[in-house]
Amino acid sequence: MAEMVDFFILFFIKATIVLSIMHLSGIKDISKFAMHYIIEEIDEDTSMEDLQKMMAVALVYRLLVCFYEIICIWGAGGATPGKFLLGLRVVTCDTSVLIAPSRVLVIPSSNVSITTSTIRALIKNFSIASFFPAFITLLFFQHNRTAYDIVAGTIVVKRNGVR
């Protein structure tokens, strides 16, 4: 659910940026541009030049998503808006030990540094961009950690005081 909230926030940011660029550059055919660059629809009439532009827009968007997650996880208490609304946050984790059903002791459980946040965001977002949804790995690792959480040394936990 947290990812969906963040997806919608980022979608509206992407749409706003793309429409602003269109307006500033004087592009008149909003419907074709919006279909290609916001929704990224490809058909038989799509030229190689259009594909290159869409790839550039996709790369810039992926970097925007990384920046969003880096700032939120590092600078906003370990949570994107979606995680915050669901009472979750990301903390550092060298070791996690099951102490009771649905309770895990996380060591050291401190705030995430900018370097750790950057590593986590880049692995997460560029693995998704390369059609490998790294979040699926949470089904296979202990305590629902994803591959990017293990590499970055992080874990998603409930915030203190949230039931």
Side-chain angles (χ1 to χ4, degrees):
M1 289 300 295
E3 290 292 334
M4 287 178 57
V5 170
D6 292 330
F7 169 82
F8 285 113
I9 290 170
L10 287 163
F11 178 82
F12 286 114
I13 291 171
K14 177 183 180 181
T16 302
I17 290 171
V18 169
L19 293 173
S20 298
I21 291 169
M22 281 180 51
H23 178 72
L24 293 172
S25 63
I27 295 172
K28 302 287 187 234
D29 188 0
I30 292 175
S31 63
K32 181 180 178 186
F33 188 89
M35 288 302 287
H36 280 325
Y37 296 101
I38 296 175
I39 301 173
E40 298 174 13
E41 181 179 288
I42 299 173
D43 60 18
E44 65 275 352
D45 296 326
T46 306
S47 70
M48 211 45 158
E49 184 178 319
D50 286 340
L51 287 174
Q52 289 173 340
K53 289 177 186 174
M54 287 192 300
M55 290 299 289
V57 169
L59 177 62
V60 168
Y61 178 66
R62 196 56 44 208
L63 292 172
L64 171 71
V65 171
C66 285
F67 182 73
Y68 169 86
E69 288 196 5
I70 291 165
I71 295 303
C72 289
I73 301 299
W74 166 68
T80 61
K83 283 181 179 56
F84 181 81
L85 288 173
L86 290 168
L88 304 172
R89 71 186 290 240
V90 178
V91 296
T92 59
C93 176
D94 292 336
T95 306
S96 59
V97 179
L98 186 65
I99 56 174
S102 300
R103 303 270 308 166
V104 176
L105 175 63
V106 177
I107 303 168
S109 187
S110 60
N111 290 332
V112 177
S113 70
I114 192 165
T115 304
T116 301
S117 182
T118 302
I119 291 167
R120 185 181 189 277
L122 289 172
I123 293 170
K124 176 182 177 183
N125 289 292
F126 282 96
S127 69
I128 290 170
S130 65
F131 304 109
F132 177 72
F135 62 88
I136 298 241
T137 59
L138 70 87
L139 300 172
F140 307 106
F141 290 116
Q142 196 174 38
H143 312 302
N144 295 332
R145 291 178 76 190
T146 59
Y148 53 84
D149 278 322
I150 290 170
V151 171
T154 59
I155 191 169
V156 178
V157 297
K158 286 185 181 177
R159 282 194 331 264
N160 290 337
V162 176
R163 291 260 170 206

